[in-house]
Amino acid sequence: MSPTIPSLAGKLGGLQSSAIRDLLKLTVRPDIIGLAGGLPDAELMPRERIAVAADAALRDSACLQYTESPGWAPLRAVLAERESARLGRTVGLSEVFVTHGSQQALSLLAEVLLDPGALVIVEDPAYVGALQVFRAAGARIVAVPLDREGMRIDALTELLERGERPALVHTVSNFHNPGGVTMAEHRRRELAELAQRYGFWVIEDDPYGELWFDRPAPAPIASYSHNVIRLSSASKILSPALRVGWLVAPDAVCRGVELLKQGADLCGSALTHQITADLLADESWLAGHVDSVRTAYGARAKALVHAFRATFGDRASCTDAAGGMFVWADFTDGTDTADLLPRALEHGVAYVPGSAFAVDGGYRNSLRMCFTTSDEATLTEAIDRMARAVG
Amino acid sequence: MSPTIPSLAGKLGGLQSSAIRDLLKLTVRPDIIGLAGGLPDAELMPRERIAVAADAALRDSACLQYTESPGWAPLRAVLAERESARLGRTVGLSEVFVTHGSQQALSLLAEVLLDPGALVIVEDPAYVGALQVFRAAGARIVAVPLDREGMRIDALTELLERGERPALVHTVSNFHNPGGVTMAEHRRRELAELAQRYGFWVIEDDPYGELWFDRPAPAPIASYSHNVIRLSSASKILSPALRVGWLVAPDAVCRGVELLKQGADLCGSALTHQITADLLADESWLAGHVDSVRTAYGARAKALVHAFRATFGDRASCTDAAGGMFVWADFTDGTDTADLLPRALEHGVAYVPGSAFAVDGGYRNSLRMCFTTSDEATLTEAIDRMARAVG
């Protein structure tokens, strides 16, 4: 007699393999230019510097042992120093918790902060990794739209004034995935003030903040309120294979996360934590490295945006190439991007239709394009192919 | 207004910081011989071989990118080959799933296989990391005692005949943590037959199987039934800093685990997966390395058991030094090991009282001793100190 596997529908928050996901599996074909991915460029990762750090760490067997659940202490010390500088206040060691990428920070925080049925406010379009986590936690999800200045705080205020009482608000404040926009400074202050007034948590999810092209993003929302939990990651500036994300949160939240981390996977890797600490502490090297990533991504983003605007003119609009990894575009001529996708693949270009990021449906005329892993000429060719597919 | 943090009691399964845990925090004092830990010996980990593998992996930037959620494919191929040899059947690539240590395998499997209220049968004394996970999943937990031949299948059969219908049965089949015993071959067959007859899952949690001292453990329970999900890990034979555990399960279970892994932390580290694959595929080196760990641990275990038996004679009994990392002992003279602990610490020796592993209370006269990180003379001295504490 075979045992059963219970339905995972509830636990997955309904985010199962979709038709779009199946179509996009085709995009690893070498003849297709991939704007659909969401990966940083491995060629820009500091392979040789990581090799030096690995070699140094491996001179002592301490890096091979289990480490503390909140992360290897010297890594937390480096992160506390960096976050102190960013937030303009002293961040204590007990406020820094290292996770297995910032996706794990999201998933543990959802467990710590949310009772089933709790209200979570997300941005629309949304980071689907966050949506999945909040849905799996049994949260009730309400979306607030983005505009060019990030989350529409007027819409959030309206919800609060109507009596909605969120347990938490999730925002990708810098160079939004998928929306491409950055929250304006005045909105950051307003969001922090609302969090204080109504007593909710804000998760400021910030994996892309250091990847600005022309000017740095405004100060973090977390610099305005202790109700804001800041998430960041080494994945986009160093390498996702380090599996180092972190959160900065009040001590009580970190202790809750710690207890859950023990059940989830005990601890992170002392080896990759030590490598990451070495690289992050090497300030002048790091500044030069991040600058080289910014320069490369900036050139690619500008080429993509230029080609898109030159090609589609009034028929579509797209976000500026200001930072991060993504450009979001909207067709204004009624082009349905999910319908277009099979034709685009035939013409040799892949992207993600906007509907894949919609919280309650919509974004049928939108798309997300990732510019990180193709050079400028290839990105220009991608837009040519897209134009031929649109016809 | 400060936001609230909901009670974590339900989510933690009641396993919060206890008095015992607080006492054991003292045991990092250098004047205390630690038998309380549960760590492998970092000095026996193959530091130089790992450095060579890291250097080789880091010649190509591919090891720095995100990897597939089920794990880096070449690592899964090596694991499939090893598990095929162990299970005596061809294990397919889609049946192998790499997790962030085998604790993550447990936690994802609990989510995939258990609806709230499902019955889980565990061994008593229990591996507390499993208890925590099953309690957090909202399972109803029933314990079956261990004896010298491992889980008492007669007691399990009685439960089943009384009408209990478990969703899963968890067992640490080899060199049990904390119980020190190994399930006898005939019980493995019987357990597999019961799983088939009644249609439940067995999780065969096997981190210690390769650490046998005199003779290998019997064939895995998973070699007798497809209802058995096998868990193992590189943590005890190579290094926990690789954060490589794995499960072998039917494809449908692996696909459920995959969807949940994406929400939990996206994927593992391509770098540590590649290092692990390199070491596991280097068969003759690996055989020699594991043998050296067996030899060292075996000598330590035998010294501890010898000293314990010579010292306490009829006043206590303990398991044989057959493999793994732990010896379990029972005082037959009424000594209460939780009461004894503060006195033992004063005399400079730490251990974990049996009650810390009890599912429903009990084991007040028992203790767990870990022999991995002290040499033979130190272990003998530890038992001397314990004897002085007992008085």
Side-chain angles (χ1 to χ4, degrees):
Chain A
M1 188 170 146
S2 287
T4 55
I5 304 174
S7 160
L8 287 172
K11 292 164 181 172
L12 291 169
L15 263 171
Q16 299 198 42
S17 195
S18 67
I20 287 173
R21 216 179 284 187
D22 290 342
L23 260 183
L24 290 175
K25 281 184 182 158
L26 300 172
T27 64
V28 291
R29 271 169 37 196
D31 57 321
I32 291 182
I33 303 175
L35 308 180
L39 302 180
D41 187 350
E43 295 305 321
L44 296 175
M45 295 174 196
R47 185 170 58 77
E48 290 176 14
R49 184 66 187 79
I50 288 173
V52 169
D55 195 59
L58 285 162
R59 272 172 228 155
D60 185 331
S61 60
C63 73
L64 296 177
Q65 190 53 280
Y66 286 98
T67 189
E68 298 166 82
S69 299
W72 192 59
L75 172 59
R76 290 161 60 220
V78 176
L79 293 171
E81 197 176 323
R82 287 169 57 83
E83 292 293 339
S84 296
R86 187 149 306 158
L87 298 179
R89 66 174 180 87
T90 302
V91 172
L93 212 57
S94 64
E95 297 173 81
V96 176
F97 196 100
V98 181
T99 52
H100 189 68
S102 73
Q103 182 69 28
Q104 186 181 48
L106 271 179
S107 105
L108 296 176
L109 282 171
E111 275 196 84
V112 170
L113 300 179
L114 300 178
D115 279 328
L119 174 61
V120 171
I121 290 179
V122 299
E123 294 163 321
D124 196 17
Y127 169 55
V128 291
L131 262 192
Q132 176 175 3
V133 159
F134 297 137
R135 284 179 174 155
R140 182 166 69 90
I141 294 177
V142 171
V144 165
L146 292 175
D147 66 15
R148 289 178 50 175
E149 297 196 311
M151 178 183 271
R152 277 189 43 203
I153 303 301
D154 60 326
L156 172 62
T157 304
E158 210 173 280
L159 286 171
L160 293 165
E161 286 175 354
R162 273 215 318 261
E164 292 284 20
R165 289 295 171 265
L168 77 81
V169 173
H170 177 262
T171 174
V172 180
S173 50
N174 295 321
F175 316 121
H176 195 275
N177 173 13
V181 295
T182 291
M183 192 185 288
E185 188 171 2
H186 67 99
R187 291 201 181 167
R188 294 173 188 235
R189 291 180 191 277
E190 289 158 17
L191 178 54
E193 279 164 20
L194 290 173
Q196 292 286 144
R197 187 176 330 145
Y198 291 96
F200 56 80
W201 295 105
V202 173
I203 293 183
E204 179 176 32
D205 195 350
D206 183 21
Y208 310 112
E210 298 204 49
L211 296 178
W212 49 266
F213 301 150
D214 297 320
R215 68 192 67 81
I221 311 167
S223 60
Y224 300 113
S225 164
H226 282 278
N227 290 11
V228 182
I229 296 171
R230 213 177 111 70
L231 266 52
S232 193
S233 167
S235 297
K236 308 306 190 288
I237 57 167
L238 297 175
S239 157
L242 300 170
R243 303 314 292 128
V244 169
W246 59 88
L247 60 91
V248 179
D251 196 69
V253 173
C254 287
R255 299 294 68 76
V257 169
E258 181 172 358
L259 290 164
L260 291 172
K261 169 94 176 162
Q262 287 164 2
D265 62 13
L266 296 178
C267 65
S269 165
L271 176 59
T272 68
H273 285 196
Q274 196 158 334
I275 293 170
T276 307
D278 186 339
L279 271 63
L280 292 179
D282 188 352
E283 290 182 23
S284 68
W285 169 83
L286 182 66
H289 164 69
V290 174
D291 207 55
S292 71
V293 179
R294 275 180 202 133
T295 303
Y297 284 179
R300 293 170 193 177
K302 285 178 206 311
L304 178 69
V305 166
H306 176 79
F308 190 88
R309 288 176 176 164
T311 302
F312 293 108
D314 286 349
R315 298 177 61 188
S317 65
C318 72
T319 53
D320 292 329
M325 294 173 38
F326 303 103
V327 167
W328 179 263
D330 303 287
F331 280 100
T332 48
D333 64 356
T335 298
D336 183 307
T337 55
D339 291 350
L340 178 67
L341 185 58
R343 221 156 55 240
L345 292 173
E346 276 169 34
H347 283 82
V349 61
Y351 58 83
V352 186
S355 53
F357 307 100
V359 180
D360 309 303
Y363 299 109
R364 299 282 311 180
N365 308 119
S366 308
L367 67 156
R368 186 192 77 171
M369 297 178 283
C370 177
F371 49 75
T372 52
T373 50
S374 306
D375 62 24
E376 291 89 314
T378 306
L379 291 163
T380 305
E381 169 64 19
I383 297 302
D384 276 355
R385 293 180 183 186
M386 199 181 293
R388 288 199 292 276
V390 172
Chain B
M1 189 170 146
S2 287
T4 56
I5 304 175
S7 161
L8 286 173
K11 291 164 182 173
L12 292 170
L15 263 173
Q16 298 198 42
S17 196
S18 67
I20 288 174
R21 215 178 286 187
D22 289 343
L23 261 182
L24 290 174
K25 281 186 183 158
L26 301 172
T27 64
V28 291
R29 272 169 37 196
D31 56 322
I32 292 182
I33 302 175
L35 308 180
L39 303 180
D41 187 350
E43 295 305 321
L44 295 176
M45 295 173 196
R47 185 171 57 78
E48 289 176 14
R49 184 66 187 79
I50 288 173
V52 170
D55 195 60
L58 285 162
R59 272 174 227 152
D60 185 329
S61 60
C63 73
L64 296 177
Q65 191 53 280
Y66 286 97
T67 189
E68 298 166 83
S69 298
W72 191 58
L75 172 59
R76 289 163 59 220
V78 176
L79 293 171
E81 198 177 323
R82 286 169 57 82
E83 293 292 340
S84 296
R86 186 149 306 158
L87 298 180
R89 65 173 181 86
T90 302
V91 172
L93 212 58
S94 64
E95 297 173 81
V96 177
F97 196 101
V98 182
T99 52
H100 188 68
S102 73
Q103 182 69 28
Q104 186 181 48
L106 272 179
S107 106
L108 296 176
L109 282 170
E111 275 196 85
V112 169
L113 300 179
L114 300 177
D115 278 328
L119 174 62
V120 172
I121 291 180
V122 298
E123 293 162 323
D124 195 17
Y127 169 55
V128 292
L131 263 192
Q132 177 176 2
V133 159
F134 297 138
R135 285 180 173 152
R140 181 165 72 88
I141 293 177
V142 172
V144 165
L146 292 175
D147 66 15
R148 288 177 52 175
E149 296 196 312
M151 179 184 271
R152 278 189 43 204
I153 303 300
D154 61 324
L156 172 63
T157 304
E158 211 173 281
L159 286 171
L160 293 165
E161 286 174 354
R162 274 215 318 260
E164 292 283 20
R165 289 294 172 265
L168 78 82
V169 173
H170 176 262
T171 175
V172 180
S173 50
N174 296 321
F175 317 120
H176 194 274
N177 173 13
V181 294
T182 291
M183 192 184 288
E185 188 172 359
H186 67 98
R187 291 202 181 166
R188 292 173 190 236
R189 290 180 191 277
E190 288 158 18
L191 178 54
E193 279 164 21
L194 290 174
Q196 291 286 144
R197 187 175 329 145
Y198 291 96
F200 56 80
W201 294 105
V202 174
I203 294 184
E204 179 176 32
D205 195 350
D206 183 22
Y208 310 112
E210 297 204 51
L211 297 178
W212 49 266
F213 301 150
D214 298 319
R215 69 192 65 81
I221 311 167
S223 60
Y224 301 112
S225 164
H226 282 280
N227 289 11
V228 183
I229 297 170
R230 214 177 111 69
L231 265 52
S232 194
S233 166
S235 296
K236 307 306 190 288
I237 56 166
L238 298 175
S239 156
L242 299 170
R243 304 314 292 128
V244 169
W246 58 90
L247 60 93
V248 179
D251 197 69
V253 173
C254 288
R255 298 294 70 74
V257 169
E258 180 172 359
L259 290 164
L260 291 171
K261 170 92 176 164
Q262 287 164 1
D265 60 14
L266 296 178
C267 65
S269 164
L271 176 59
T272 69
H273 285 198
Q274 196 157 333
I275 292 170
T276 308
D278 186 339
L279 272 62
L280 292 179
D282 188 353
E283 290 182 22
S284 68
W285 170 84
L286 183 66
H289 164 69
V290 174
D291 207 54
S292 70
V293 178
R294 275 181 202 133
T295 303
Y297 284 180
R300 293 171 194 177
K302 285 178 206 311
L304 178 70
V305 166
H306 176 79
F308 190 88
R309 288 176 177 165
T311 301
F312 292 110
D314 285 350
R315 300 178 62 189
S317 65
C318 73
T319 52
D320 292 327
M325 295 174 37
F326 304 103
V327 166
W328 179 264
D330 301 288
F331 280 100
T332 49
D333 65 356
T335 298
D336 183 305
T337 55
D339 290 351
L340 179 67
L341 185 58
R343 222 157 54 240
L345 292 173
E346 276 168 33
H347 283 81
V349 60
Y351 59 82
V352 185
S355 54
F357 308 101
V359 180
D360 309 303
Y363 300 109
R364 300 284 309 181
N365 307 119
S366 309
L367 66 158
R368 186 191 77 173
M369 297 178 284
C370 177
F371 50 75
T372 50
T373 50
S374 306
D375 62 24
E376 291 90 314
T378 306
L379 291 163
T380 304
E381 169 65 19
I383 297 302
D384 276 355
R385 293 181 183 186
M386 198 182 293
R388 288 200 292 277
V390 172

PDB file of all heavy atoms in Angstrom, chain A residues 90-105:
ATOM      1  N   THR A  90      23.946  53.082  15.468  1.00  0.00           N
ATOM      2  CA  THR A  90      24.731  51.893  15.772  1.00  0.00           C
ATOM      3  C   THR A  90      23.834  50.663  15.756  1.00  0.00           C
ATOM      4  O   THR A  90      22.902  50.557  16.550  1.00  0.00           O
ATOM      5  CB  THR A  90      25.405  52.031  17.152  1.00  0.00           C
ATOM      6  OG1 THR A  90      26.224  53.202  17.114  1.00  0.00           O
ATOM      7  CG2 THR A  90      26.276  50.810  17.440  1.00  0.00           C
ATOM      8  N   VAL A  91      24.118  49.780  14.829  1.00  0.00           N
ATOM      9  CA  VAL A  91      23.391  48.507  14.760  1.00  0.00           C
ATOM     10  C   VAL A  91      24.176  47.488  15.582  1.00  0.00           C
ATOM     11  O   VAL A  91      25.359  47.253  15.322  1.00  0.00           O
ATOM     12  CB  VAL A  91      23.258  48.040  13.300  1.00  0.00           C
ATOM     13  CG1 VAL A  91      22.675  46.627  13.229  1.00  0.00           C
ATOM     14  CG2 VAL A  91      22.404  49.019  12.505  1.00  0.00           C
ATOM     15  N   GLY A  92      23.534  46.899  16.579  1.00  0.00           N
ATOM     16  CA  GLY A  92      24.208  45.921  17.452  1.00  0.00           C
ATOM     17  C   GLY A  92      24.313  44.563  16.790  1.00  0.00           C
ATOM     18  O   GLY A  92      23.556  44.235  15.867  1.00  0.00           O
ATOM     19  N   LEU A  93      25.268  43.772  17.284  1.00  0.00           N
ATOM     20  CA  LEU A  93      25.484  42.436  16.741  1.00  0.00           C
ATOM     21  C   LEU A  93      24.225  41.581  16.858  1.00  0.00           C
ATOM     22  O   LEU A  93      23.921  40.778  15.967  1.00  0.00           O
ATOM     23  CB  LEU A  93      26.625  41.772  17.529  1.00  0.00           C
ATOM     24  CG  LEU A  93      27.511  40.786  16.784  1.00  0.00           C
ATOM     25  CD1 LEU A  93      28.156  41.432  15.573  1.00  0.00           C
ATOM     26  CD2 LEU A  93      28.592  40.247  17.721  1.00  0.00           C
ATOM     27  N   SER A  94      23.476  41.773  17.940  1.00  0.00           N
ATOM     28  CA  SER A  94      22.285  40.937  18.164  1.00  0.00           C
ATOM     29  C   SER A  94      21.128  41.339  17.271  1.00  0.00           C
ATOM     30  O   SER A  94      20.100  40.670  17.235  1.00  0.00           O
ATOM     31  CB  SER A  94      21.861  41.029  19.628  1.00  0.00           C
ATOM     32  OG  SER A  94      21.471  42.364  19.914  1.00  0.00           O
ATOM     33  N   GLU A  95      21.283  42.452  16.526  1.00  0.00           N
ATOM     34  CA  GLU A  95      20.239  42.876  15.585  1.00  0.00           C
ATOM     35  C   GLU A  95      20.500  42.376  14.167  1.00  0.00           C
ATOM     36  O   GLU A  95      19.710  42.643  13.256  1.00  0.00           O
ATOM     37  CB  GLU A  95      20.158  44.406  15.538  1.00  0.00           C
ATOM     38  CG  GLU A  95      19.762  45.071  16.833  1.00  0.00           C
ATOM     39  CD  GLU A  95      19.880  46.583  16.704  1.00  0.00           C
ATOM     40  OE1 GLU A  95      18.962  47.197  16.147  1.00  0.00           O
ATOM     41  OE2 GLU A  95      20.919  47.144  17.125  1.00  0.00           O
ATOM     42  N   VAL A  96      21.634  41.695  13.972  1.00  0.00           N
ATOM     43  CA  VAL A  96      21.995  41.210  12.637  1.00  0.00           C
ATOM     44  C   VAL A  96      21.882  39.687  12.618  1.00  0.00           C
ATOM     45  O   VAL A  96      22.446  39.008  13.476  1.00  0.00           O
ATOM     46  CB  VAL A  96      23.439  41.619  12.267  1.00  0.00           C
ATOM     47  CG1 VAL A  96      23.837  41.031  10.913  1.00  0.00           C
ATOM     48  CG2 VAL A  96      23.570  43.130  12.250  1.00  0.00           C
ATOM     49  N   PHE A  97      21.167  39.158  11.665  1.00  0.00           N
ATOM     50  CA  PHE A  97      20.976  37.712  11.561  1.00  0.00           C
ATOM     51  C   PHE A  97      21.246  37.303  10.121  1.00  0.00           C
ATOM     52  O   PHE A  97      20.640  37.838   9.189  1.00  0.00           O
ATOM     53  CB  PHE A  97      19.540  37.357  11.966  1.00  0.00           C
ATOM     54  CG  PHE A  97      19.355  35.884  12.250  1.00  0.00           C
ATOM     55  CD1 PHE A  97      19.344  35.415  13.556  1.00  0.00           C
ATOM     56  CD2 PHE A  97      19.225  34.967  11.213  1.00  0.00           C
ATOM     57  CE1 PHE A  97      19.200  34.067  13.827  1.00  0.00           C
ATOM     58  CE2 PHE A  97      19.086  33.613  11.477  1.00  0.00           C
ATOM     59  CZ  PHE A  97      19.072  33.156  12.789  1.00  0.00           C
ATOM     60  N   VAL A  98      22.165  36.349   9.937  1.00  0.00           N
ATOM     61  CA  VAL A  98      22.531  35.903   8.589  1.00  0.00           C
ATOM     62  C   VAL A  98      21.643  34.733   8.187  1.00  0.00           C
ATOM     63  O   VAL A  98      21.454  33.789   8.961  1.00  0.00           O
ATOM     64  CB  VAL A  98      24.012  35.468   8.539  1.00  0.00           C
ATOM     65  CG1 VAL A  98      24.395  35.028   7.123  1.00  0.00           C
ATOM     66  CG2 VAL A  98      24.917  36.602   9.006  1.00  0.00           C
ATOM     67  N   THR A  99      21.107  34.807   6.987  1.00  0.00           N
ATOM     68  CA  THR A  99      20.224  33.748   6.476  1.00  0.00           C
ATOM     69  C   THR A  99      20.805  33.162   5.192  1.00  0.00           C
ATOM     70  O   THR A  99      21.747  33.714   4.612  1.00  0.00           O
ATOM     71  CB  THR A  99      18.819  34.309   6.202  1.00  0.00           C
ATOM     72  OG1 THR A  99      18.944  35.464   5.367  1.00  0.00           O
ATOM     73  CG2 THR A  99      18.123  34.674   7.504  1.00  0.00           C
ATOM     74  N   HIS A 100      20.206  32.053   4.773  1.00  0.00           N
ATOM     75  CA  HIS A 100      20.643  31.321   3.571  1.00  0.00           C
ATOM     76  C   HIS A 100      20.051  32.041   2.351  1.00  0.00           C
ATOM     77  O   HIS A 100      19.078  31.590   1.750  1.00  0.00           O
ATOM     78  CB  HIS A 100      20.121  29.894   3.700  1.00  0.00           C
ATOM     79  CG  HIS A 100      20.621  28.927   2.682  1.00  0.00           C
ATOM     80  ND1 HIS A 100      21.925  28.508   2.611  1.00  0.00           N
ATOM     81  CD2 HIS A 100      19.983  28.276   1.677  1.00  0.00           C
ATOM     82  CE1 HIS A 100      22.065  27.642   1.618  1.00  0.00           C
ATOM     83  NE2 HIS A 100      20.903  27.492   1.034  1.00  0.00           N
ATOM     84  N   GLY A 101      20.631  33.192   2.029  1.00  0.00           N
ATOM     85  CA  GLY A 101      20.043  34.075   1.026  1.00  0.00           C
ATOM     86  C   GLY A 101      18.894  34.852   1.647  1.00  0.00           C
ATOM     87  O   GLY A 101      18.368  34.468   2.692  1.00  0.00           O
ATOM     88  N   SER A 102      18.494  35.960   1.026  1.00  0.00           N
ATOM     89  CA  SER A 102      17.455  36.749   1.694  1.00  0.00           C
ATOM     90  C   SER A 102      16.072  36.120   1.516  1.00  0.00           C
ATOM     91  O   SER A 102      15.142  36.460   2.242  1.00  0.00           O
ATOM     92  CB  SER A 102      17.521  38.228   1.335  1.00  0.00           C
ATOM     93  OG  SER A 102      17.093  38.478   0.055  1.00  0.00           O
ATOM     94  N   GLN A 103      15.935  35.152   0.600  1.00  0.00           N
ATOM     95  CA  GLN A 103      14.675  34.407   0.536  1.00  0.00           C
ATOM     96  C   GLN A 103      14.405  33.709   1.871  1.00  0.00           C
ATOM     97  O   GLN A 103      13.272  33.674   2.347  1.00  0.00           O
ATOM     98  CB  GLN A 103      14.712  33.375  -0.594  1.00  0.00           C
ATOM     99  CG  GLN A 103      13.421  32.575  -0.783  1.00  0.00           C
ATOM    100  CD  GLN A 103      12.271  33.402  -1.314  1.00  0.00           C
ATOM    101  OE1 GLN A 103      12.473  34.395  -2.019  1.00  0.00           O
ATOM    102  NE2 GLN A 103      11.052  33.032  -0.966  1.00  0.00           N
ATOM    103  N   GLN A 104      15.447  33.164   2.503  1.00  0.00           N
ATOM    104  CA  GLN A 104      15.224  32.511   3.798  1.00  0.00           C
ATOM    105  C   GLN A 104      14.850  33.534   4.868  1.00  0.00           C
ATOM    106  O   GLN A 104      14.052  33.214   5.757  1.00  0.00           O
ATOM    107  CB  GLN A 104      16.449  31.714   4.256  1.00  0.00           C
ATOM    108  CG  GLN A 104      16.128  30.922   5.528  1.00  0.00           C
ATOM    109  CD  GLN A 104      17.275  30.117   6.075  1.00  0.00           C
ATOM    110  OE1 GLN A 104      18.387  30.603   6.213  1.00  0.00           O
ATOM    111  NE2 GLN A 104      17.011  28.867   6.386  1.00  0.00           N
ATOM    112  N   ALA A 105      15.400  34.739   4.776  1.00  0.00           N
ATOM    113  CA  ALA A 105      15.003  35.776   5.732  1.00  0.00           C
ATOM    114  C   ALA A 105      13.497  36.025   5.622  1.00  0.00           C
ATOM    115  O   ALA A 105      12.775  36.070   6.618  1.00  0.00           O
ATOM    116  CB  ALA A 105      15.782  37.061   5.473  1.00  0.00           C
TER     117      ALA A 105
END
